[in-house]
Amino acid sequence: MRAFAWALVLVSVAAVWPRAALAQLEFGAEKPRVFSIQRRPFRLGHEFQLGVGVLPLNAFYVGAAPQASYTYHFSDFWAWEIAGGAFSFNFGTGLKTDLFDRFGVEPVRGGDDPITLLLTTNGVAKPLFGKLALFNSSITYSETFFAAGVGGVKMERAGWLPTIDLGIGFRFWSIGALSWRLDIRDYLIFFSWLPENALMISLSAAFNYYEPDQNEAVGVE
């Protein structure tokens, strides 16, 4: 009788003992998964950019380039950088003089011809948008975008040359009307059919004016 009582106690404890909760990894057809994507809190319309870049790739000089641009944003995904320009202040590295003094040689194919002015127009795609937690104390909204375009480069001696530029950029918002950009652009400069590369890395402030359309103004999705 005592053994039966102990068995009854054990069965009762097992019946009420809490079980481990396991996440359901797969859902049946009658239970569809629901995804929720937050709408971008900051929208871009007319963007005016002011910043400064550096041209670090050429071994004969380093350029410091104030720059400005105007971009019109058609949507959250597409934009057109209608006009962008930079003026480069160039500082020689001393390599040209050193090569001539030591070996009696000079650079060829315009390798030592510095860029003085850049003018381009670019299409922009903005596929990535998200939030970054800074030290788990604040949230910063960010965007990654890609640019491609054409334009002209004015060299100190060769004059104006055609260029194709490709780039990637990262944007971080302070407020809706102000964001900060890090841009990396590679310029293919056509001295001949075989282009030369020029890299620019820039930091800039972007000032934005966005006017919602009528549907957004009344809250229509």
Side-chain angles (χ1 to χ4, degrees):
M1 185 66 181
R2 181 175 297 179
F4 176 77
W6 277 110
L8 184 61
V9 170
L10 291 175
V11 170
S12 301
V13 171
V16 300
W17 191 265
R19 297 181 180 180
L22 299 177
Q24 187 175 359
L25 300 180
E26 296 183 359
F27 296 85
E30 73 282 358
K31 296 179 180 179
R33 290 188 290 177
V34 178
F35 296 91
S36 176
I37 298 178
Q38 180 183 358
R39 189 174 185 177
R40 298 191 184 197
F42 299 128
R43 314 295 295 280
L44 294 169
H46 301 274
E47 178 188 354
F48 302 89
Q49 174 212 7
L50 292 173
V52 62
V54 60
L55 295 160
L57 195 61
N58 197 290
F60 297 97
Y61 71 93
V62 175
Q67 60 176 222
S69 69
Y70 166 70
T71 304
Y72 179 74
H73 295 261
F74 298 101
S75 66
D76 288 339
F77 189 85
W78 294 110
W80 179 19
E81 186 183 278
I82 296 174
F87 184 86
S88 182
F89 296 93
N90 300 302
F91 306 91
T93 61
L95 177 60
K96 180 179 179 180
T97 301
D98 188 55
L99 288 175
F100 186 79
D101 291 343
R102 296 180 61 182
F103 306 105
V105 296
E106 292 186 351
V108 297
R109 296 188 64 227
D112 65 327
D113 194 0
I115 295 171
T116 59
L117 187 62
L118 279 162
L119 295 175
T120 58
T121 183
N122 288 271
V124 181
K126 309 170 290 177
L128 301 175
F129 180 89
K131 302 177 184 178
L132 297 175
L134 183 62
F135 301 114
N136 287 332
S137 61
S138 62
I139 293 177
T140 300
Y141 291 90
S142 66
E143 175 184 79
T144 301
F145 56 91
F146 302 90
V150 297
V153 176
K154 187 178 182 181
M155 313 301 292
E156 189 174 278
R157 297 193 302 274
W160 285 99
L161 297 171
T163 183
I164 296 174
D165 70 294
L166 303 170
I168 184 173
F170 308 93
R171 183 192 306 276
F172 304 92
W173 268 273
S174 292
I175 55 176
L178 174 64
S179 60
W180 304 92
R181 289 174 41 165
L182 170 64
D183 287 76
I184 303 172
R185 299 279 176 98
D186 183 43
Y187 298 87
L188 300 177
I189 304 171
F190 289 88
F191 287 91
S192 63
W193 289 107
L194 185 63
E196 298 282 340
N197 282 85
L199 180 71
M200 178 183 288
I201 303 172
S202 63
L203 291 171
S204 59
F207 305 92
N208 172 60
Y209 172 73
Y210 174 75
E211 184 176 0
D213 61 29
Q214 186 177 2
N215 289 337
E216 289 179 318
V218 298
V220 177
E221 293 290 338

